[in-house]
Amino acid sequence: MRSACFRCWPRCDDLLQRIMVRSSPWPERRRQLAMTTDQPYVAVVGSGPAGFYATQQIIKKAPGCRVDLFEQLPVPFGLVRFGVAPDHPEVKNVTTTFCQTASSPAVRLLADVTVGRHVTVSELRRAYDAVVLAYGADDDRPLGIPGEQLTNVASARHLVGWYNGLPGCRSPVDLAAEHVVIVGMGNVALDVLRLLTASVDALAGTDITESALAALAESRVRHVTVVGRRGPLQAAFTIKELREQIHLVGTSAIWDGYPFHQLEPLLPDLPRPRRRLTELMVKSARSPRAAERRTWTLKFLRSPLEALGTDAVDQLRVGVNAMDGDHVVGTNQTELIPCQMLLRSIGYKGRQIDPALPFDAARGVIPNTDGRVHGAPGLYVTGWIGTGPVGVILNTMSSSFAVGKLVADDLAAGKQCDRVMHPDELVQIIRERGARPVGFPDWLRLDQAEEERGRRVGKPREKVVSVDEMRRIIWG
């Protein structure tokens, strides 16, 4: 019989072995067969920057290794697609490299698969030699103050997701507020400030969603106050974001009387990035621009105490702080800031997607040492779910490259999960549970459709914001 079907015999033999692996009642026998029939396989959970950068290093440093890239949405790229501001297209250019990685024969995208629902982390560890968790931080940190439940108190994360087309953030944002307060002084806060104060014409040629663009065109926002509990020397935003805001056409800064002149003697001793940022604030405070259509304020040394209002927020009560060296100390003074919308932007927080995972609920991270998850051989973590929401894409690239190399080194040293089945078997189980994994060629159909929709209205793309519509386009 073997001579009669000589050409297909290796394929049949491999299929027979896989059937034996799945049906064998002896775990050790199944493990041996799984290891002898396949090269190393790694599962990466999350297809944002952390997931893609880790994948790049794994296939580079571990030749012959295969990587399955899991993503809960039908679309890849994570925060590059849903977190980067629409008017920062240069940052989104990293997707060109990500597409090259996803097109590699060593990489398989499995999008529209939710780890924790369609498959558990424990199952992944039984089907892969290593599992890298890179699914980011999807929740936002609450302010924890009275009145936070009032109408028009929301997260900056929701606003960012709304104008970037994140399916879970489709509910409209009420922009009837004339005065908006943003609590937090990171880059996300300044992105939201810029989007709320920019002209619609400046955004029309970006990939902002048409629904968000239409809402911003009707916006009544006139002034935005950005509140930070620390001083200018501790502000977390970078000079690029502040410079963009200062030079934004149609807006002007109203500096709140902070004694910036007191910072000038400190400038020579500051690290270069902090010195340049502080010099820009000092210069802008010295030469304020004429009042424009929209204004904004950076209010330092203020801590939110209470959101006030009957049904909707109309004021924020803040405590006045002082700096004691590098430490913030409260005073007995308080102030009221008018606002009809209050946005919290004090950081994102990771979630536990599987009860079997170790998890630090207070920090919203998976405990790890240099990327190795505590007490779980073959399990790794990278990106914000391992470090918390710190740094920009460049920081994520560096840390994820290091974790990818670590995975490759551990595989070479024989430090891996105790794999007992082939990944294809697990994918079949996932299908039986109702998921229909979206591969990279499948996603390209949606990519092309979005670009075509964008061309019709003079934009790089018009994002599809409904998961059901995404699926209809992908599967025809």
Side-chain angles (χ1 to χ4, degrees), residues 391-470:
V392 293
I393 289 180
L394 184 61
N395 304 96
T396 299
M397 180 180 69
S398 299
S399 61
S400 296
F401 276 179
V403 171
K405 184 178 183 301
L406 180 66
V407 172
D409 291 344
D410 283 356
L411 289 175
K415 301 175 183 178
Q416 55 202 39
C417 300
D418 188 20
R419 179 154 68 92
V420 298
M421 69 167 68
H422 192 281
D424 288 352
E425 296 178 82
L426 185 58
V427 172
Q428 181 56 35
I429 292 172
I430 290 171
R431 291 180 181 276
E432 291 168 0
R433 291 173 179 168
R436 189 176 183 183
V438 174
F440 189 68
D442 305 319
W443 139 251
L444 288 177
R445 288 193 287 273
L446 177 60
D447 183 49
Q448 293 167 1
E450 289 184 338
E451 289 183 346
E452 175 56 32
R453 292 183 180 193
R455 278 192 290 271
R456 296 172 191 165
V457 291
K459 298 166 61 178
R461 75 172 59 240
E462 178 58 36
K463 294 175 185 173
V464 175
V465 299
S466 161
V467 169
D468 288 339
E469 187 178 359
M470 289 177 182

Side-chain angles (χ1 to χ4, degrees), residues 97 154 175 240 251 337 364 382 397 408 443 463:
T97 303
L175 295 178
K240 178 179 184 295
T251 72
I337 303 175
T382 187
M397 180 180 69
W443 139 251
K463 294 175 185 173

Side-chain angles (χ1 to χ4, degrees), residues 109-425:
L109 177 66
L110 295 169
D112 210 7
V113 175
T114 302
V115 175
R117 180 160 66 96
H118 297 122
V119 61
T120 67
V121 173
S122 297
E123 288 172 325
L124 291 175
R125 296 181 69 198
R126 291 197 292 270
Y128 294 88
D129 298 284
V131 177
V132 181
L133 302 173
Y135 60 87
D138 287 336
D139 294 335
D140 64 281
R141 296 182 182 277
L143 295 172
I145 61 173
E148 196 167 359
Q149 77 287 347
L150 289 171
T151 301
N152 276 7
V153 178
S155 70
R157 182 188 65 83
H158 177 84
L159 196 75
V160 170
W162 170 70
Y163 61 61
N164 273 323
L166 180 63
C169 298
R170 294 178 61 194
S171 57
V173 175
D174 183 2
L175 295 178
E178 290 193 1
H179 194 154
V180 177
V181 169
I182 305 171
V183 177
M185 281 199 176
N187 281 342
V188 172
L190 261 67
D191 280 345
V192 171
L193 166 64
R194 190 176 65 259
L195 267 290
L196 287 176
T197 55
S199 70
V200 173
D201 290 342
L203 299 173
T206 72
D207 67 354
I208 189 172
T209 63
E210 282 294 293
S211 58
L213 193 63
L216 287 169
E218 300 297 322
S219 170
R220 295 177 59 190
V221 173
R222 292 295 175 265
H223 183 78
V224 180
T225 302
V226 184
V227 174
R229 60 185 291 268
R230 300 182 295 176
L233 295 182
Q234 294 79 33
F237 52 76
T238 58
I239 191 170
K240 178 179 184 295
E241 276 67 28
L242 181 60
R243 185 185 294 117
E244 284 181 311
Q245 184 62 43
I246 288 174
H247 296 298
L248 192 64
V249 175
T251 72
S252 59
I254 299 176
W255 297 95
D256 68 344
Y258 184 91
F260 282 97
H261 64 277
Q262 296 179 4
L263 301 178
E264 294 186 65
L266 306 176
L267 291 174
D269 296 326
L270 294 176
R272 186 172 184 272
R274 177 61 62 182
R275 184 180 72 248
R276 293 177 63 235
L277 176 59
T278 308
E279 286 173 342
L280 180 60
M281 284 189 274
V282 171
K283 180 180 178 181
S284 180
R286 277 180 168 176
S287 52
R289 292 165 59 182
E292 297 280 1
R293 176 177 54 90
R294 286 174 176 160
T295 56
W296 54 277
T297 297
L298 300 183
K299 189 172 282 292
F300 298 100
L301 297 173
R302 301 294 188 272
S303 290
L305 299 177
E306 183 179 12
L308 302 172
T310 304
D311 295 316
V313 64
D314 56 34
Q315 291 184 104
L316 176 67
R317 186 167 66 88
V318 297
V320 180
N321 301 327
M323 296 299 299
D324 181 8
D326 292 331
H327 301 285
V328 177
V329 294
T331 69
N332 294 324
Q333 295 178 279
T334 62
E335 293 178 352
L336 291 176
I337 303 175
C339 63
Q340 296 81 49
M341 176 183 284
L342 174 61
L343 300 172
R344 55 182 177 266
S345 183
I346 56 174
Y348 294 174
K349 189 176 180 181
R351 64 179 64 164
Q352 187 177 25
I353 61 172
D354 191 318
L357 280 175
F359 193 72
D360 184 339
R363 296 177 57 217
V365 299
I366 297 172
N368 68 97
T369 300
D370 298 328
R372 288 191 180 97
V373 176
H374 295 166
L379 187 60
Y380 306 83
V381 64
T382 187
W384 285 2
I385 192 58
T387 63
V390 294
V392 293
I393 289 180
L394 184 61
N395 304 96
T396 299
M397 180 180 69
S398 299
S399 61
S400 296
F401 276 179
V403 171
K405 184 178 183 301
L406 180 66
V407 172
D409 291 344
D410 283 356
L411 289 175
K415 301 175 183 178
Q416 55 202 39
C417 300
D418 188 20
R419 179 154 68 92
V420 298
M421 69 167 68
H422 192 281
D424 288 352
E425 296 178 82

Side-chain angles (χ1 to χ4, degrees), residues 42-65:
V42 176
V44 174
V45 181
S47 70
F52 266 104
Y53 286 131
T55 298
Q56 288 175 9
Q57 280 298 291
I58 292 169
I59 61 176
K60 177 182 178 181
K61 299 294 184 180
C65 185

